[in-house]
Amino acid sequence: MKRLIIHIFLSMLCFTAFATNKAILIGIGEYPEYTGWKTISSKNDIDLLQKALPSTYTIRTLINGEATHQNVVKTLKDITKQSLQGDTVFIHFSCHGQQMITNAPDEPDHLDEALIPFDASQTKSRDYDGHNHLTDKELGALLNSLRKKVGRKGLVIVTIDACFSDSMNKGDKKTEDDGIIYRGGADIFGSNEISSDSLNSIRAIRAKADEFTVESMEHGSDIIILSACKSFQKNREVKIDGIGYGSLSYSMAQSFEMHCFNNIKKWIETVYKHMSINAYTQEPQLRTTLNISVDEKTPPPPPLTSCEGHANNWMRHPVIIAVALLLALIIFGYIWKRTIRK
């Protein structure tokens, strides 16, 4: 009987390990000189969020030289292979962002948005055509694969502490903007190869083309994409006790002190509230398949006594389930043994 109980207990441990919480934190702030990108405080963001995330999350980080285009793509594909139905996967980017000129018919502003891995250069040239930029289309395809893998009971959360516009300049303590550091490229990628009239035309319509939606998937999970600002806005850093952070990353860490993904609406509302204080010159953007509307005017509620796990429930925690099942089996074994004796 003891062997049977142990066997069932170990089997249930394997079963309960299926639904897990995973996180990938990607931070690039110290780019090679040849890329043209200046230093930003992305590593500080990753350190902060590692401490802020609930302990139920298995975390993988890619920092600076680890976060090449190839390695970022590989990591996202690996997490998809490793994920199972019902998993929650949180992906965060802290890096530069840039818009790229494109002739794709589905882009009315003739611009793709892109995140900037460690090995992506700022300017188009004979030697670099933008192949190391992580475009919105490439990222979208990777996320769709992940959504299908975790299924309808899973959840994918993506947060982006970057900006996507030529109007976003990385400041310097000795230059403009009172030392504020911004995350983005000085120019639209490819703007050096078109006429000034064409570039001005693109700039004139890009704000109107900023709206987009994410689509529900019949056999895929819901998704939340939260970015630090609109595609034509500056994304500023904040400085706390002399340490620089991305405004979204810092606001997220503040929100984790009050809420977790177990109340995703409140968590997002609290991020918005802190963003309105930390980076009032920009507007964070929420795209989601969930029925969530954010009230930015709602003040943050008092902190919770605990902040663990995913939205759904305590049942996602394998240790709790295993203990409960073990106790049930012990009671069942005791009753069965007493019945046999009689």
Side-chain angles (χ1 to χ4, degrees):
M1 182 63 192
K2 288 182 179 179
R3 288 183 179 179
L4 176 62
I5 291 175
I6 293 172
H7 177 74
I8 295 174
F9 173 66
L10 292 175
S11 298
M12 293 310 299
L13 271 179
C14 294
F15 176 78
T16 56
F18 281 4
T20 58
N21 299 324
K22 301 179 177 68
I24 301 174
L25 306 179
I26 301 170
I28 313 111
E30 298 178 7
Y31 291 82
E33 186 176 349
Y34 73 84
T35 64
W37 297 105
K38 295 186 179 180
T39 300
I40 53 178
S41 305
S42 299
K43 185 180 184 303
N44 296 340
D45 298 351
I46 305 308
D47 293 341
L48 186 68
L49 290 175
Q50 274 189 286
K51 297 175 183 176
L53 268 170
S55 59
T56 52
Y57 278 77
T58 301
I59 301 172
R60 178 172 180 181
T61 64
L62 294 178
I63 298 174
N64 293 324
E66 300 171 337
T68 61
H69 176 271
Q70 182 179 11
N71 208 21
V72 169
V73 171
K74 181 181 182 301
T75 300
L76 294 176
K77 288 182 177 180
D78 286 347
I79 203 73
T80 299
K81 291 178 183 177
Q82 296 160 9
S83 294
L84 298 165
Q85 295 283 309
D87 282 0
T88 296
V89 182
F90 170 58
I91 303 168
H92 178 77
F93 291 91
S94 282
C95 57
H96 279 297
Q98 190 177 32
Q99 290 183 307
M100 308 176 70
I101 292 175
T102 178
N103 293 319
D106 59 341
E107 294 289 356
D109 59 354
H110 303 290
L111 292 172
D112 277 334
E113 279 71 46
L115 297 171
I116 308 301
F118 181 77
D119 52 353
S121 294
Q122 185 184 96
T123 304
K124 189 173 184 179
S125 66
R126 288 192 306 173
D127 298 324
Y128 183 69
D129 61 359
H131 57 272
N132 284 336
H133 280 56
L134 183 63
T135 66
D136 49 3
K137 291 182 177 63
E138 184 177 20
L139 179 60
L142 292 166
L143 294 177
N144 282 343
S145 296
L146 178 58
R147 291 173 65 189
K148 290 176 184 177
K149 190 67 184 294
V150 301
R152 291 298 302 164
K153 293 184 179 181
L155 180 64
V156 175
I157 304 165
V158 182
T159 53
I160 303 173
D161 205 343
C163 46
F164 298 110
S165 172
D166 70 317
S167 65
M168 298 169 289
N169 303 307
K170 190 277 184 187
D172 186 272
K173 292 181 180 181
K174 297 180 181 179
T175 58
E176 57 186 1
D177 293 316
D178 298 323
I180 296 172
I181 293 176
Y182 295 101
R183 298 183 172 188
D187 296 296
I188 295 173
F189 187 84
S191 61
N192 56 318
E193 296 186 351
I194 64 173
S195 68
S196 58
D197 288 343
S198 296
L199 183 58
N200 289 335
S201 176
I202 289 173
R203 286 172 171 162
I205 66 172
R206 67 179 175 181
K208 298 177 182 178
D210 191 53
E211 296 300 321
F212 72 93
T213 58
V214 289
E215 297 181 356
S216 297
M217 301 176 68
E218 183 178 357
H219 300 294
S221 73
D222 283 307
I223 187 170
I224 295 166
I225 302 176
L226 180 62
S227 53
C229 62
K230 290 187 174 182
S231 64
F232 56 89
Q233 288 181 325
K234 293 181 178 181
N235 175 29
R236 65 190 296 166
E237 291 195 355
V238 297
K239 189 160 283 190
I240 308 298
D241 297 328
I243 301 174
Y245 300 100
S247 55
L248 179 62
S249 299
Y250 187 73
S251 298
M252 288 165 52
Q254 289 180 293
S255 185
F256 274 127
E257 294 177 359
M258 302 177 183
H259 300 289
C260 287
F261 299 142
N262 58 348
N263 191 333
I264 195 69
K265 183 177 186 296
K266 289 292 185 183
W267 183 82
I268 293 172
E269 284 182 341
T270 308
V271 172
Y272 266 68
K273 177 65 178 179
H274 287 298
M275 282 291 288
S276 70
I277 299 169
N278 297 328
Y280 57 87
T281 58
Q282 63 197 67
E283 301 171 60
Q285 296 293 290
L286 173 67
R287 318 292 184 187
T288 181
T289 55
L290 294 171
N291 185 22
I292 295 177
S293 59
V294 179
D295 183 1
E296 300 175 50
K297 298 179 181 179
T298 303
L304 301 178
T305 55
S306 64
C307 185
E308 292 294 331
H310 173 267
N312 290 334
N313 38 60
W314 61 272
M315 290 191 70
R316 289 182 64 91
H317 202 299
V319 175
I320 295 176
I321 302 175
V323 171
L325 287 170
L326 178 61
L327 290 174
L329 287 169
I330 291 173
I331 293 171
F332 172 78
Y334 175 77
I335 295 172
W336 178 82
K337 191 173 182 179
R338 291 292 296 267
T339 304
I340 292 298
R341 282 184 176 181
K342 289 182 179 180

